[in-house]
Amino acid sequence: MTTELSAGYDISTDVDRLDRALVHRWLSQDAYWALGRSREKQDTAIDFSLNFGVYDSTTGAQVGYARVVTDRATFAWLCDVFIAPDSRGKGLGHALAGAVCAHLAPFGLRRTALATADAHAIYAKEGFVRLEQPENWMVLGAQ
């Protein structure tokens, strides 16, 4: 799937277009939730996920990334959403979130979840809401 954006960017799920080294650098060095993540772990995450890259339509350079962990039947987890610092403020985060939601819609998932410390407004525009009963959710591992 490739979606062209009017602002000179496109979004693609073609894993072969991903600049894996760049995605690893962004996440392991600049993303609060993935600091220190190893390249091997990042490559494994890419290999077993549905991936979305954001690209400059003129140069082909990758400027954003998102990953979805899903069974494509009942549940999805949206994670590792990142827009390069010099590409922020152009609506690419909103466009990426919208493209992810549009791609997942035909699956008829019961729930798509995510966690964010600072981008609630972006996801709210796509219909994400805070958990009504967060006390029902549990986690195993780092918090």
Side-chain angles (χ1 to χ4, degrees), residues 8-10 55-61:
Y9 296 89
D10 63 89
Y55 305 91
D56 182 299
S57 298
T58 303
T59 67

Side-chain angles (χ1 to χ4, degrees), residues 75-92:
F75 181 79
W77 180 265
L78 173 57
C79 54
D80 289 345
V81 179
F82 192 90
I83 300 296
D86 58 347
S87 295
R88 293 179 185 163
K90 301 176 182 178
L92 296 176

Side-chain angles (χ1 to χ4, degrees), residues 75-136:
F75 181 79
W77 180 265
L78 173 57
C79 54
D80 289 345
V81 179
F82 192 90
I83 300 296
D86 58 347
S87 295
R88 293 179 185 163
K90 301 176 182 178
L92 296 176
H94 290 287
L96 180 54
V100 168
C101 290
H103 189 88
L104 295 176
F107 299 143
L109 304 173
R110 178 171 182 209
R111 180 173 290 117
T112 299
L114 64 85
T116 183
D118 58 0
H120 295 85
I122 290 172
Y123 301 110
K125 288 186 178 181
E126 295 305 321
F128 285 88
V129 297
R130 294 184 185 272
L131 292 172
E132 288 185 27
Q133 297 177 315
E135 65 276 7
N136 291 354

